[in-house]
Amino acid sequence: ALVHNLYIFDGKGRCLFYREWYRPHNALKHAGKEEDYKLVYGMILTLKHTCKQLSPKSDDEDGMITYTTNTYRLHHYETPTNLHFVLLTSPAIASLREELRYLYAVIFDNFVVRNPMQNPREEIKSQGFINSVDAIVSNITMRK
Amino acid sequence: MSGRRPGAPESFDPVNAELLALTYGSMVAQIVKDYESPHEINQQIEAMGYRIGTRLVDEYCAKVRRPKCVNFVQTLETAATDGLQMFLGVSGKVSGWNSKEDQCEIFLPKNPLEEWVELPPNMADLRYSNIICGAIRGALEMVHYKISCEVSQDALKGDPQTSFQVQLHEVMKAETGEEYNDE
């Protein structure tokens, strides 16, 4: 149970992809998926804004935010085109910058951007994409 | 591919640019058959480029690791030099910025799309390279710059080189969709 779940949002807050590996307790179960997406995306925006306000540099934006609580760690990577990759893992996992970058640069590129059947700003249904995401996750799990 | 340019992003395959150049002519010919007015033809070509551009920008960002561009001048110059180099195989030159830095011109020293092309005399209104305009517009729109882009000089029509006039209209804010506005 090292990797919990993954969200991919577009710049308007629509959830393009969600996948869950471990979530025994879901406080939002009854509120529905949409509420869950809204909460996460809303928090990412606020977090991003707050982080920027607190930064000692004026142009400090490399698109990566991560925070850790007692029970989980959130990794967030934003592309210049405003796609947000949000991955929740166990707090024991170190920063997954490279993995999220790989998810965008290789998997998203191959299965979404270069896929004529897929509008890059619509829900991702490609089985190849899902399989590749699972492969990254099992890779992360195995390294531990 | 063994003929990779030095310094090109690792996974870039130059065959795509060549394939586009070779097949582009027949594609335009088909559009000319399908639509009657030159205005409509130009629009269709531009729209096609736009859709291509909205995808290319993600591919570009995925493959090129460099610090984020912080303003319009930097973004456009990166797109015109590196972006065009990556997908078209030639690098554009940007010049003629106005004082507000929202207008400039991109020069293409060589236009691979037009290399083996001759325009018939009745096609004087056709903007053959409009697909590039569309691609630039689409790509920039995905990184928040609403621009218009027009062919200002066309080597096919006797100008010394092809160039595009770019005008910035709006810097779009990263906005949330409708469903977020109620709270």
Side-chain angles (χ1 to χ4, degrees):
Chain A
L2 287 167
V3 178
H4 299 180
N5 47 357
L6 168 74
Y7 302 82
I8 300 175
F9 296 100
D10 73 359
K12 292 196 162 54
R14 277 182 308 230
C15 187
L16 306 179
F17 186 76
Y18 176 74
R19 189 140 176 92
E20 191 172 291
W21 293 274
Y22 175 77
R23 201 172 184 179
H25 170 73
N26 181 351
L28 292 155
K29 202 189 286 171
H30 301 293
K33 284 194 153 163
E34 287 303 320
E35 282 303 311
D36 185 34
Y37 301 156
K38 261 175 148 177
L39 187 76
V40 174
Y41 186 73
M43 185 193 63
I44 293 292
L45 284 195
T46 315
L47 207 57
K48 195 179 121 183
H49 184 71
T50 312
C51 291
K52 219 173 155 179
Q53 301 283 313
L54 295 178
S55 168
K57 286 185 183 167
S58 61
D59 57 347
D60 174 35
E61 230 191 302
D62 81 339
M64 184 85 193
I65 298 175
T66 155
Y67 75 77
T68 316
T69 74
N70 281 339
T71 52
Y72 72 99
R73 179 167 188 163
L74 178 141
H75 312 253
H76 165 251
Y77 172 71
E78 183 184 4
T79 73
T81 51
N82 276 96
L83 290 162
H84 298 263
F85 294 82
V86 182
L87 185 66
L88 270 65
T89 66
S90 127
I93 300 269
S95 171
L96 291 177
R97 171 192 293 270
E98 285 310 310
E99 283 75 4
L100 288 183
R101 170 84 212 172
Y102 179 84
L103 178 60
Y104 172 56
V106 178
I107 299 177
F108 189 84
D109 188 44
N110 279 343
F111 288 99
V112 179
V113 177
R114 287 159 161 262
N115 179 355
M117 306 300 284
Q118 172 81 48
N119 179 330
R121 294 296 180 269
E122 271 171 17
E123 198 189 333
I124 303 164
K125 295 203 174 109
S126 151
Q127 191 57 45
F129 184 79
I130 298 173
N131 295 346
S132 308
V133 168
D134 284 348
I136 296 189
V137 169
S138 61
N139 219 322
I140 297 171
T141 316
M142 261 161 28
R143 259 191 345 211
K144 263 309 215 185
Chain B
M1 283 296 281
S2 54
R4 186 180 292 146
R5 283 179 299 113
E10 235 176 88
S11 45
F12 176 65
D13 187 347
V15 81
N16 287 338
E18 283 157 25
L19 189 69
L20 174 66
L22 287 171
T23 50
Y24 184 61
S26 47
M27 199 161 68
V28 172
Q30 186 61 44
I31 294 174
V32 169
K33 266 184 218 150
D34 290 348
Y35 295 89
E36 291 191 351
S37 81
H39 176 69
E40 229 173 321
I41 295 168
N42 292 335
Q43 240 177 7
Q44 285 298 326
I45 299 177
E46 206 265 359
M48 203 155 61
Y50 173 80
R51 291 190 293 269
I52 295 174
T54 55
R55 280 176 190 252
L56 291 189
V57 66
D58 265 319
E59 190 167 339
Y60 175 83
C61 292
K63 288 189 179 151
V64 178
R65 277 167 175 255
R66 49 159 67 224
K68 202 168 168 174
C69 295
V70 292
N71 56 31
F72 181 59
V73 175
Q74 216 180 6
T75 309
L76 190 89
E77 291 195 354
T78 311
T81 49
D82 296 3
L84 286 179
Q85 172 75 63
M86 186 162 169
F87 297 110
L88 201 60
V90 285
S91 178
K93 286 192 181 55
V94 184
S95 64
W97 284 102
N98 66 350
S99 55
K100 275 161 68 193
E101 294 193 330
D102 64 355
Q103 213 178 51
C104 69
E105 209 154 348
I106 302 174
F107 292 92
L108 268 192
K110 189 170 153 267
N111 184 349
L113 293 185
E114 298 186 345
E115 216 154 317
W116 299 287
V117 178
E118 255 175 52
L119 278 190
N122 61 335
M123 281 288 137
D125 289 330
L126 177 69
R127 294 187 194 150
Y128 191 80
S129 288
N130 233 11
I131 193 165
I132 303 176
C133 294
I136 295 172
R137 181 170 73 90
L140 270 283
E141 193 166 304
M142 298 305 275
V143 289
H144 306 302
Y145 294 108
K146 218 179 193 74
I147 61 159
S148 58
C149 180
E150 273 180 21
V151 180
S152 48
Q153 287 183 64
D154 195 336
L156 275 188
K157 294 172 187 165
D159 293 319
Q161 59 187 339
T162 303
S163 68
F164 308 101
Q165 177 85 41
V166 175
Q167 166 77 49
L168 173 68
H169 295 294
E170 192 191 340
V171 183
M172 294 180 286
K173 280 220 175 106
E175 272 174 5
T176 49
E178 297 276 295
E179 60 270 36
Y180 288 86
N181 294 341
D182 54 2
E183 284 154 280

